[in-house]
Amino acid sequence: GAVVSQHPSRVICKSGTSVKIECRSLDFQATTMFWYRQFPKKSLMLMATSNEGSKATYEQGVEKDKFLINHASLTLSTLTVTSAHPEDSSFYICSARDRVQNTEAFFGQGTRLTVV
Amino acid sequence: GENVEQHPSTLSVQEGDSAVIKCTYSDSASNYFPWYKQELGKGPQLIIDIRSNVGEKKDQRIAVTLNKTAKHFSLHITETQPEDSAVYFCAASMGAGNKLTFGGGTRVLVKP
């Protein structure tokens, strides 16, 4: 199957700082990217959907100024957690699909964010 | 919006036995139903999916059934092995590449 690479896999940051998570599609054009958040022993909750070259669409309750999404190329999307707080600590997962080829969505390995 | 319920939340089976996980969905417009396996600290991996134009799909020890009328679908794992131990999620969406709504997950433990 297609490969989606997410980086970093783990990150620890101090409260008040910003953290950037990258999601790359390695062998296909990721026209659409999805960002999910997962709390321990819980399900995946969609945060936002982004189409290449367009602004992301955020789910209800997700602060767009807090979670900045950039999808400027067909192989890379980034999620920046700004002014991080301990409650932002979570497992963040991206997935990507090729809308033109109408593929399913492929998931990255996830990023464990810990804010201290 | 779509709502997906998944049961049971935990499932313990003896190696070699079968495991069944059930999900219901609320939006009749949903037509794509994937199942994911997630191991600790990793992203979900697609193990099987089914579209609304078929009622059953099988891939070796894994099968999925879909009842559109009742709006429920199930995952069946036969001849379970210890490496099947993981958290399994069902999901639903309108189209294979559109945003997914996940069920709550089932933690499966296969005892040797």
Side-chain angles (χ1 to χ4, degrees), chain B residues 13-19 61 77-82 84 108 110:
Chain B
V13 297
Q14 208 64 40
E15 182 178 359
D17 289 349
S18 296
R61 296 187 296 111
I77 307 174
T78 58
E79 300 172 29
T80 54
Q81 301 167 2
D84 294 329
V108 173
V110 180

Side-chain angles (χ1 to χ4, degrees), chain B residues 18-79:
Chain B
S18 296
V20 180
I21 305 170
K22 298 182 178 182
C23 288
T24 60
Y25 61 99
S26 61
D27 192 340
S28 56
S30 291
N31 57 13
Y32 176 67
F33 307 94
W35 286 88
Y36 294 89
K37 178 182 181 181
Q38 187 178 30
E39 297 178 341
L40 191 63
K42 297 184 179 180
Q45 278 192 307
L46 178 71
I47 55 172
I48 196 168
D49 58 11
I50 192 168
R51 285 166 170 76
S52 59
N53 57 344
V54 297
E56 185 173 358
K57 185 176 178 181
K58 190 174 182 180
D59 183 4
Q60 298 182 344
R61 296 187 296 111
I62 295 173
V64 58
T65 58
L66 171 66
N67 183 326
K68 284 174 56 180
T69 303
K71 289 191 280 191
H72 65 70
F73 55 113
S74 301
L75 177 72
H76 304 253
I77 307 174
T78 58
E79 300 172 29

Side-chain angles (χ1 to χ4, degrees), chain A residues 34 36 38 41-44 46 49 59 91 93 97 103-105 107-109, chain B residues 32 36 38 41-44 46 49 89 96-100 102-104 107:
Chain A
F34 304 92
Y36 294 86
Q38 186 177 31
K41 298 186 179 181
K42 297 293 184 181
S43 189
L44 287 79
L46 181 66
T49 303
E59 295 298 303
F91 194 55
I93 309 170
R97 67 158 307 210
T103 67
E104 65 197 65
F107 283 82
Q109 311 97 309
Chain B
Y32 176 67
Y36 294 89
Q38 187 178 30
K42 297 184 179 180
L46 178 71
D49 58 11
F89 290 98
N98 292 322
K99 65 178 185 180
L100 294 165
F102 283 85
R107 188 171 299 275

